[in-house]
Amino acid sequence: MMMRNPIRGRSLVLAALMVAPASLAFGCSVDASSPADGKSENAATLDEPYLVGRGIADITGEAAEGHGANYGRLDQTTVGIHIRQRARAFIVVDRTTGKRVVLVTADEGSMYASVRQAVLAKLNAKYGSLYNERNILIAVTHTHGTPGGYSDYNLYNIVTFGFHQQTFDAFVDGVVESIDRAHADLAPGTISLGRSQLSDASANRSRQAFDLDPAADKSQFPNAIDTTSVVLRFDRGGSSVGALNWFPTHGTSMTGDNGLITGDNKGYAALHWEREINGVNYRNPGPSFVAAFAQTNAGDMSPNLDLKPGTGPTNDQFANTRIIGTRQYQAARAAFDQPAEAIAGSVDYRLSYVEMEKLTVRPEFTGDGQSHTTCGATLGASFAAGSTEDGPGPEIFKEGVGNNPLIQKVTEARYKASDELRRCQAPKDILLDTGSLGFTAKILPIQLVRLGQIYVVSLPFEPTVVAGLRLRRTVAQRLGVDVKNVIVAGYANDYAGYLTSPEEYDHQDYEGGHTMYGRWQLPATLQEISRLADDLKAGRASTPGPNPPGPGGREAFQPGVVFDAPAIGYNYGDVVTQPQASYARGQQVSVVFDGAHPKNNLHRGGTFLEVQRKVGDGWQTVADDGDWSTKYHWERWGVAASRVTITWDVPADAAAGTYRILYQGDAKEIGGTITPIAGASREFAISP
């Protein structure tokens, strides 16, 4: 039995307005230069100038009665698993200097300083300063189908009913494990670059704002979308061992009504390439191939091609997830397979922490010849409206300037004593001043990573395509490199909302309302990333910036599991509904078990289910809860009992034979003891 919080609602912001302000913060580790691995060698004489390491680890959070944060809905609660969450890490070491970088892509909704700091602390305990805050980039795919509650920022923990330690630990431990595995996997290798175009996996969900941008910017995106798919290919010993892709589209193919944990379209793209194409066993710590699908400037890019939640190219959100994911895989694979540009040159990095509020922006970056200042962080009424194309908010809120007259009146009254803030944020109708309330970050990490001729701009924002273009152009100009070789990695190292151009900000769509530091936030970011680029080019250290505050309060308002009990007339693991005697390929097998609450044991690195085929006198596992073909669904059955439904969509290429489905769980006794439980269905046949 798990006690429930009676609060229900739809809007993160409406809940935020009822919560008292609290402090939040995070800490940082001391950086140090990276020592070389063994003897220094002349890279020019090496056929494999880098050491390359890869690792995958499970980061799946609470599969039941966890709460998602990215749709801002109090009623978005996890009820099971469709695709397990993974962290994928690549480590690249320059064999000449020993400098290294770590690139992590995690199937999560947002990246927060709380997670980054905990990861750094664990790595420091194992490796000292070898892996540190400057040379680690942790980014997320921005899937909206995963549990939240792992932030120290109060705004993002409101809809999750506070902090969720289990989900936080799964995220942190999984990222550390992926880096550990990549470190152990280091071996000489090469890296190459490929590019392709993908035009049917995104649509611009903020077209009116985009249309306000200058023609010189809009001309780079003829259909108002960024179609570039960029891939780094990793090879060792003449064989390909990994791929890291950047393409902009939101992780919102699955809607806010879905309760099954999912990596969404990018999670499926990685799953498809790794498991369905290359046969990777995720429960084996040494995969033969790692494919990460990272985000870039996806702020205004929706995968819902018909610009309504769960629509385009079909009206089935599961089908759309698979289709959009497959298209990303196909574009990445085309870039991966084509004759590629070899990556050559040094590995380097710079990072600074920046106080984003009240930051003076010099005229060379503002575009109007004058200095300007960023604002205290706020959210606008259009933020509360949500993205109508991906996840709308309450109907009383609307996107766009002048469309919230009631909120405008409230704003004018509320901020009469702070007219300066209202003028600074204009034309935003301020709904919530998150900065002064301590709900969101003030000090943020800005990072620049070099891999040979490739430069990765790492930001804690969701940049629109035009914001990304301006970032790439600025860095390319400062470094004197081809703009095509600059990649913007959004959703990285922390989270502080969106990053729109000043012109887009003026329209105040959802993206502008969620650009928290005002109209000059993008010029300020261009100024700070230019500073890092200048430092990198000159070979000098970057100013570290102000120290971020330490971890904040982590109040948890949702009670844990009190105890489990089987339903009357059943024992744990008993089959309530057996499968049919036989199935054809393409049909769905469904089995219902008497189970227990999955929060008792998240089975990180394991599984809650197995689909097994009889081979001789034994059984061979053909699928688990990390496969697309399976779904693990939990529901309460009375007061303390749990009903677990496991489904398996029989693949078109499934071998004929005898099968069964296993359930694995853990039950909590009244005294707190947790004991493994299991059950098995009767055998059934898959016909030829």
Side-chain angles (χ1 to χ4, degrees):
M1 179 181 71
M2 183 172 182
M3 298 176 63
R4 291 177 178 266
N5 192 315
I7 298 174
R8 286 293 180 268
R10 287 182 57 81
S11 173
L12 178 153
V13 173
L14 291 179
L17 291 170
M18 300 184 291
V19 178
S23 62
L24 50 94
F26 64 99
C28 64
S29 64
V30 177
D31 188 24
S33 60
S34 300
D37 281 46
K39 295 181 179 180
S40 176
E41 298 176 85
N42 186 343
T45 65
L46 295 174
D47 292 331
E48 295 178 306
Y50 304 105
L51 298 178
V52 173
R54 316 139 308 139
I56 304 176
D58 189 354
I59 58 172
T60 307
E62 295 155 282
E65 296 183 327
H67 297 272
N70 287 285
Y71 279 117
R73 291 173 49 168
L74 289 163
D75 62 346
Q76 188 189 4
T77 305
T78 56
V79 296
I81 298 173
H82 186 204
I83 306 175
R84 276 194 173 262
Q85 302 166 249
R86 312 282 177 188
R88 296 169 171 89
F90 290 96
I91 299 177
V92 178
V93 182
D94 183 336
R95 294 177 70 184
T96 299
T97 65
K99 279 195 170 183
R100 65 188 61 210
V101 293
V102 182
L103 305 174
V104 178
T105 303
D107 291 331
E108 287 284 3
S110 297
M111 180 63 200
Y112 296 117
S114 55
V115 173
R116 178 174 168 81
Q117 181 57 25
V119 168
L120 288 169
K122 286 178 176 287
L123 292 175
N124 182 261
K126 292 184 178 183
Y127 303 104
S129 63
L130 187 63
Y131 299 112
N132 56 77
E133 62 185 353
R134 291 194 303 158
N135 66 4
I136 296 177
L137 190 165
I138 307 175
V140 300
T141 61
H142 200 44
T143 170
H144 281 44
T146 54
Y150 50 86
S151 175
D152 280 343
Y153 303 143
N154 294 328
L155 178 70
Y156 306 111
N157 286 350
I158 291 171
V159 295
T160 64
F161 301 112
F163 192 78
H164 287 243
Q165 190 69 48
Q166 277 187 299
T167 292
F168 175 84
D169 289 342
F171 192 176
V172 170
D173 293 344
V175 169
V176 171
E177 192 171 271
S178 72
I179 295 172
D180 282 340
R181 290 173 175 177
H183 177 83
D185 184 62
L186 283 168
T190 60
I191 311 171
S192 54
L193 174 70
R195 298 184 183 89
S196 64
Q197 299 298 310
L198 177 57
S199 60
D200 58 356
S202 61
N204 195 311
R205 70 184 194 188
S206 189
R207 183 62 184 263
Q208 288 181 305
F210 171 85
D211 285 340
L212 296 176
D213 286 312
D217 292 342
K218 292 187 292 186
S219 66
Q220 300 300 306
F221 310 107
N223 294 310
I225 60 174
D226 185 348
T227 61
T228 302
S229 176
V230 179
V231 175
L232 290 182
R233 170 174 171 158
F234 300 90
D235 289 88
R236 297 195 313 208
S239 299
S240 60
V241 296
L244 174 55
N245 171 256
W246 285 276
F247 176 79
T249 195
H250 250 73
T252 51
S253 292
M254 298 298 296
T255 72
D257 295 326
N258 167 61
L260 298 178
I261 289 175
T262 173
D264 211 275
N265 52 66
K266 288 186 179 292
Y268 176 72
L271 170 71
H272 178 65
W273 200 344
E274 290 169 346
R275 184 152 174 80
E276 297 176 356
I277 300 297
N278 283 308
V280 168
N281 180 355
Y282 288 123
R283 288 188 280 160
N284 182 339
S288 59
F289 191 85
V290 176
F293 285 78
Q295 281 288 13
T296 174
N297 41 242
D300 49 358
M301 297 291 100
S302 171
N304 295 309
L305 304 183
D306 292 341
L307 294 179
K308 292 188 295 184
T311 65
T314 76
N315 291 321
D316 182 329
Q317 60 181 324
F318 289 96
N320 292 342
T321 298
R322 190 170 192 172
I323 292 168
I324 298 298
T326 299
R327 289 175 180 177
Q328 289 179 77
Y329 157 72
Q330 290 170 339
R333 187 62 187 262
F336 183 88
D337 289 341
Q338 69 184 10
E341 173 186 346
I343 299 297
S346 64
V347 170
D348 211 344
Y349 40 82
R350 295 293 185 276
L351 180 140
S352 282
Y353 289 97
V354 177
E355 172 73 66
M356 285 302 298
E357 294 189 345
K358 299 181 180 179
L359 179 64
T360 299
V361 189
R362 300 193 303 273
E364 64 182 288
F365 297 101
T366 61
D368 67 356
Q370 301 180 49
S371 294
H372 291 280
T373 305
T374 59
C375 314
T378 69
L379 295 173
S382 55
F383 162 81
S387 167
T388 55
E389 300 80 7
D390 289 341
E395 292 184 2
I396 62 170
F397 297 100
K398 304 296 181 185
E399 292 186 88
V401 174
N403 291 333
N404 295 277
L406 176 60
I407 301 302
Q408 186 176 5
K409 293 295 184 183
V410 172
T411 295
E412 290 173 357
R414 183 177 179 187
Y415 294 98
K416 193 169 185 179
S418 182
D419 191 53
E420 178 186 354
L421 178 62
R422 190 158 57 90
R423 288 198 311 270
C424 184
Q425 288 278 359
K428 181 189 290 181
D429 292 328
I430 300 172
L431 180 66
L432 190 67
D433 49 336
T434 61
S436 64
L437 291 173
F439 278 4
T440 51
K442 295 182 180 181
I443 299 174
L444 294 165
I446 306 294
Q447 186 181 34
L448 182 61
V449 169
R450 177 184 180 184
L451 289 175
Q453 67 269 40
I454 297 298
Y455 297 85
V456 182
V457 177
S458 165
L459 301 171
F461 305 122
E462 302 188 45
T464 63
V465 292
V466 168
L469 174 66
R470 294 185 189 177
L471 284 159
R472 292 195 299 273
R473 283 174 168 169
T474 298
V475 171
Q477 187 273 327
R478 305 300 282 218
L479 293 171
V481 301
D482 192 328
V483 69
K484 294 190 301 182
N485 287 343
V486 181
I487 297 166
V488 173
Y491 312 85
N493 294 333
D494 204 348
Y495 184 73
Y498 278 70
L499 188 64
T500 56
S501 70
E503 297 86 352
E504 293 164 351
Y505 181 86
D506 288 344
H507 188 66
Q508 281 297 294
D509 269 350
Y510 168 76
E511 295 79 8
H514 200 175
T515 297
M516 295 196 293
Y517 307 101
R519 192 177 193 272
W520 304 104
Q521 181 176 323
L522 175 59
T525 306
L526 296 176
Q527 173 180 284
E528 297 308 302
I529 198 65
S530 293
R531 175 171 56 84
L532 296 190
D534 293 345
D535 292 340
L536 186 66
K537 185 176 183 178
R540 61 176 175 257
S542 292
T543 302
N547 290 326
R554 296 179 177 180
E555 296 83 2
F557 302 107
Q558 180 173 322
V561 178
V562 179
F563 68 92
D564 294 285
I568 296 174
Y570 291 94
N571 295 312
Y572 291 127
D574 282 355
V575 179
V576 179
T577 303
Q578 291 283 3
Q580 299 170 188
S582 64
Y583 296 87
R585 297 183 182 104
Q587 292 186 305
Q588 185 180 84
V589 182
S590 180
V591 184
V592 181
F593 294 89
D594 184 295
H597 205 294
K599 280 191 176 183
N600 295 325
N601 182 342
L602 301 187
H603 286 222
R604 193 180 71 81
T607 181
F608 286 106
L609 68 91
E610 292 182 52
V611 179
Q612 295 186 330
R613 176 174 174 263
K614 197 167 190 177
V615 179
D617 294 331
W619 293 91
Q620 180 183 53
T621 299
V622 298
D624 59 28
D625 67 9
D627 284 281
W628 177 266
S629 61
T630 64
K631 294 184 181 73
Y632 164 85
H633 191 286
W634 174 92
E635 61 183 321
R636 189 171 301 286
W637 195 7
V639 177
S642 296
R643 180 160 48 195
V644 171
T645 302
I646 295 171
T647 64
W648 178 47
D649 296 322
V650 183
D653 60 351
T658 301
Y659 289 77
R660 68 177 182 179
I661 290 180
L662 302 185
Y663 160 66
Q664 302 168 52
D666 300 85
K668 186 175 185 179
E669 298 177 7
I670 293 178
T673 301
I674 295 175
T675 305
I677 61 174
S681 76
R682 71 184 181 191
E683 298 175 5
F684 58 92
I686 300 299
S687 57

